[in-house]
């Protein structure tokens, strides 16, 4: 379901204004429409349709992030042990998103699940003694957890070849390798999902405004006044809203700063860009059916973990490797080189300087990545696909990610790899900063936004939320029976079995 560009008929007063047409706004708008069908909703997106920036399928990995294969969620402790706590938390969040997807599919709010989600094994693959020892320890730490009980592990190259032949073929049999796999992983086209949810919002009465940029945001009575510019005509108008959600990806920081809310003070952003290699040979693409994640380089941000991935975009199967991180001062792929310098304020310059001082490894890594030649990129590909033919791969640009910089009482500032919800004290405005796991956790994050911003109403919404998310309020890892029930239902509805 693609969005058309409607006439600018936004009313002057809204109950809810959604800034940005990505997966976060689409998810929050859908939840609010379910909980309060009479509320007026307006969505304002700078681009021609929803889901084109960070939610776009070529701008992210498309992984249903559930910590099944992503090793950065289970770092080794100094003593070599692995704590599964963070991985369990990420997986719990993914289970909420799965249930949300199943709800909107079952209620026919969007189309076929195959249009946005496909079953795909998730696999971790490492090379060398130290990494193999770590992966074994990780497997032992996870296998006893109900959310990870189906995990498999091997150091047998022949077994790895059954799981992912491209990874095993041509590899030195004397080199120690190890792999863990969960067959029940997923690939998600977040761009398609975003557009379908947004289209549903329009059908359900929300006012969709594409090619409209929010250029101003200020207090107005008990709510907010948005200055909105129509990019097609250049016309500006004011829109009043009782509640505003800023889901503009990297562009959220400047709007939250413009709002003047004290909760946004001290926050800065560090942009990281990226590229992927995309295979062009249908025969090669057909031989790989997995998401294979490796170990990140020293100093690399989590979004730069190398992975060899099957993807399903617009119903077509593809194969990608990357990402190759880089640096640009843009906060959005379609943003401005001035985004970073214009984000610097008196209240965030010290945290940003502290982060620069404490993250020299990251700086060195990014410089190295920027200078990396195509032949060096092909060498990195060869570590995961030894028999790769360089001529089969084209280099494409990925999306921009803005890592959160925030004040820290001890260090002055810290670089946070994750997401951060910023909410005003009165709950009239909220925004989301950060990156991975991002889109995969849109449903639980947006439920948290509702909890923070509408505390007086939230208790009354809980029965409906439990209808949408049957496990609402329950940790599935502590309730294996409910986990089995939820897994069976979502597998059936989303056609993932």
């Amino acid at each position: 379901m693609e969005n058309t560009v409607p006439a600018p008929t936004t009313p002057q007063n809204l109950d809810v204004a959604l800034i940005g047409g990505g997966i976060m706004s689409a998810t929050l708008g859908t939840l609010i429409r379910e909980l309060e069908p009479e509320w007026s909703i307006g969505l304002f997106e700078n681009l021609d349709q929803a889901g084109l920036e960070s939610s776009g399928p070529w701008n992210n990995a498309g992984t249903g992030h559930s910590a099944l294969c992503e090793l950065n969620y289970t770092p080794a402790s100094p003593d070599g042990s692995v704590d599964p706590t963070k991985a369990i938390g990420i997986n719990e969040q993914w289970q909420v998103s799965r249930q949300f997807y199943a709800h909107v599919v079952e209620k026919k709010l969007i189309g076929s699940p195959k249009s946005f989600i496909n079953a795909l094994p998730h696999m971790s693959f490492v090379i060398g003694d130290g990494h193999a020892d770590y992966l074994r320890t990780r497997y032992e730490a996870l296998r006893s957890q109900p959310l990870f009980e189906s995990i498999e592990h091997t150091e047998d190259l022949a077994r790895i070849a059954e799981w992912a032949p491209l990874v095993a073929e041509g590899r030195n049999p004397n080199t120690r390798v190890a792999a863990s796999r969960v067959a029940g992983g997923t690939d998600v086209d977040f761009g398609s999902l975003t557009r379908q949810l947004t289209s549903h919002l329009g059908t359900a009465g929300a006012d969709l405004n594409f090619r409209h940029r929010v250029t101003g945001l200020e207090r107005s009575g008990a709510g907010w006044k948005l200055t909105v510019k129509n990019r097609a005509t250049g016309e500006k108008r004011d829109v009043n809203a009782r509640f505003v959600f800023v889901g503009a990806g990297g562009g959220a920081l400047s709007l939250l700063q413009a709002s003047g809310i004290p909760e946004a003070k001290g926050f800065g952003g560090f942009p990281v860009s990226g590229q992927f290699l995309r295979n062009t040979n249908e025969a090669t693409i057909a031989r790989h059916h997995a998401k294979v994640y490796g170990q990140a380089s020293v100093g690399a941000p989590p979004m730069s973990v190398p992975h060899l991935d099957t993807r399903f975009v617009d119903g077509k199967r593809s194969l990608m490797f990357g990402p190759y991180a880089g640096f640009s001062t843009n906060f959005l792929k379609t943003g401005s080189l001035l985004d970073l310098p214009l984000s610097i304020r008196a209240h965030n310059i010290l945290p940003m300087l502290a982060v620069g001082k404490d993250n020299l490894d990251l700086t060195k890594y990014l410089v190295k990545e920027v200078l990396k030649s195509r032949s060096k990129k092909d060498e990195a590909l060869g570590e995961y696909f030894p028999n790769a033919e360089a001529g089969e791969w084209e280099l494409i640009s990925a999306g921009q990610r803005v890592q959160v910089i925030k004040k820290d009482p001890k260090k002055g500032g810290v670089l946070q790899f994750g997401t951060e919800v910023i909410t005003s004290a009165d709950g009239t405005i909220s925004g989301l900063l950060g990156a991975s796991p991002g889109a995969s956790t849109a449903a639980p994050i947006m439920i948290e936004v509702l909890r923070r911003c509408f505390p007086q109403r939230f208790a009354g919404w809980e029965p409906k939320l439990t209808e949408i998310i049957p496990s609402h309020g329950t940790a599935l890892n502590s309730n294996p029976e409910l986990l089995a029930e939820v897994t069976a239902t979502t597998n059936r509805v989303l056609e993932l079995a």
Side-chain angles (χ1 to χ4, degrees):
M1 301 179 186
E2 298 295 320
N3 293 311
T4 57
V5 182
T9 57
T10 301
Q12 291 300 300
N13 295 286
L14 293 167
D15 292 309
V16 177
L18 304 171
I19 303 177
I23 186 62
M24 296 296 172
S25 290
T27 300
L28 181 60
T30 301
L31 287 168
I32 289 175
R33 179 57 75 217
E34 291 279 282
L35 298 169
E36 295 288 349
E38 300 304 315
W39 283 11
S40 56
I41 300 174
L43 182 144
F44 304 91
E45 165 56 45
N46 184 49
L47 301 180
D48 295 347
Q49 59 177 303
L52 293 183
E53 268 283 356
S54 298
S55 301
W58 301 122
N59 292 334
N60 60 61
T63 303
H65 283 291
S66 41
L68 300 178
C69 60
E70 307 95 321
L71 303 180
N72 53 296
Y73 297 132
T74 49
S77 300
D79 64 0
S81 64
V82 171
D83 183 354
T85 303
K86 185 173 184 180
I88 292 168
I90 295 294
N91 199 305
E92 291 277 9
Q93 289 183 303
W94 170 243
Q95 300 303 322
V96 173
S97 289
R98 274 178 61 122
Q99 292 170 79
F100 173 71
Y101 302 161
H103 173 80
V104 295
V105 167
E106 199 159 41
K107 296 295 182 182
K108 295 186 170 26
L109 306 185
I110 64 174
S112 164
K114 291 297 182 189
S115 65
F116 72 93
I117 190 168
N118 285 274
L120 189 69
H122 284 194
M123 177 173 156
S124 307
F125 176 78
V126 297
I127 305 168
D129 289 337
H131 292 320
D133 289 341
Y134 154 75
L135 195 64
R136 179 74 193 189
T137 302
R138 175 184 181 271
Y139 164 70
E140 295 293 348
L142 291 177
R143 64 186 297 201
S144 61
Q145 305 298 327
L147 285 167
F148 296 89
E149 66 177 1
S150 62
I151 192 170
E152 305 170 79
H153 183 82
T154 188
E155 293 189 15
D156 181 1
L157 194 59
R159 181 66 169 159
I160 294 172
E162 293 176 12
W163 292 350
L166 301 188
V167 173
E169 292 172 1
R171 192 168 296 281
N172 184 343
N174 297 318
T175 300
R176 188 181 175 193
V177 295
S180 296
R181 185 183 79 145
V182 176
T186 52
D187 174 78
V188 185
D189 182 340
F190 289 107
S192 175
L193 175 60
T194 299
R195 285 188 283 278
Q196 292 186 61
L197 290 173
T198 304
S199 181
H200 157 67
L201 282 176
T203 302
D207 192 23
L208 307 182
N209 297 268
F210 300 105
R211 301 177 191 162
H212 281 69
R213 182 179 180 86
V214 176
T215 60
L217 186 60
E218 61 183 82
R219 290 273 187 185
S220 178
W224 294 87
K225 182 178 76 173
L226 288 69
T227 302
V228 182
K229 181 179 180 179
N230 183 326
R231 287 180 48 229
T233 66
E235 175 191 0
K236 288 187 177 182
R237 72 181 190 278
D238 292 336
V239 176
N240 297 310
R242 292 193 302 118
F243 170 73
V244 175
F245 175 69
V246 186
L253 178 61
S254 61
L255 287 167
L256 288 168
Q257 289 175 334
S259 74
I261 59 172
E263 292 80 7
K265 294 189 182 302
F267 282 92
F270 185 82
V272 179
S273 60
Q275 295 177 316
F276 279 94
L277 287 172
R278 182 169 60 191
N279 194 274
T280 59
N281 186 321
E282 294 296 334
T284 302
I285 294 168
R287 296 194 65 223
H288 188 75
H289 188 72
K291 287 186 176 295
V292 179
Y293 274 61
Q295 281 277 34
S297 303
V298 174
M303 64 163 287
S304 300
V305 173
H307 41 97
L308 182 66
D309 283 5
T310 296
R311 294 297 316 276
F312 295 92
V313 178
D314 296 328
K316 180 178 172 57
R317 182 169 170 157
S318 60
L319 177 62
M320 297 171 66
F321 177 80
Y324 301 96
F327 178 76
S328 166
T329 54
N330 292 41
F331 276 5
L332 290 166
K333 195 172 180 179
T334 55
S336 165
L337 292 173
L338 297 177
D339 288 342
L340 176 59
L342 291 178
S343 74
I344 299 172
R345 301 284 192 278
H347 60 72
N348 67 14
I349 190 168
L350 290 179
M352 294 179 77
L353 289 172
V355 164
K357 174 178 67 70
D358 294 339
N359 288 271
L360 294 179
D361 282 347
L362 175 60
T363 302
K364 293 176 183 177
Y365 169 78
L366 291 176
V367 170
K368 181 180 176 182
E369 285 288 291
V370 169
L371 297 176
K372 186 177 284 185
S373 65
R374 174 58 195 264
S375 63
K376 289 295 183 181
K377 290 181 169 69
D378 292 337
E379 284 181 21
L381 168 64
E383 292 181 20
Y384 292 86
F385 181 2
N387 289 342
E389 296 286 342
E392 292 183 359
W393 300 81
E394 59 183 359
L395 194 62
I396 64 171
S397 295
Q400 287 286 107
R401 295 293 183 271
V402 179
Q403 309 292 349
V404 177
I405 294 174
K406 60 189 296 188
K407 282 184 178 179
D408 181 83
K410 294 182 179 179
K411 297 183 177 181
V414 292
L415 188 64
Q416 179 173 301
F417 296 114
T419 51
E420 182 85 22
V421 176
I422 297 176
T423 303
S424 64
D426 63 1
T428 58
I429 185 170
S430 184
L432 188 75
L433 302 177
S436 183
S440 298
T441 57
I445 289 175
M446 292 305 100
I447 289 173
E448 178 61 22
V449 166
L450 292 172
R451 187 192 306 275
R452 290 191 194 183
C453 296
F454 301 97
Q456 312 298 319
R457 292 180 174 269
F458 195 81
W461 288 341
E462 302 238 38
K464 183 63 177 180
L465 285 171
T466 303
E467 178 188 322
I468 299 169
I469 314 291
S471 72
H472 176 63
T474 302
L476 289 174
N477 201 57
S478 302
N479 193 328
E481 290 184 5
L482 182 58
L483 172 60
E485 181 182 329
V486 164
T487 301
T489 300
T490 53
N491 277 345
R492 174 181 56 80
V493 176
L494 298 176
E495 301 176 15
L496 297 176

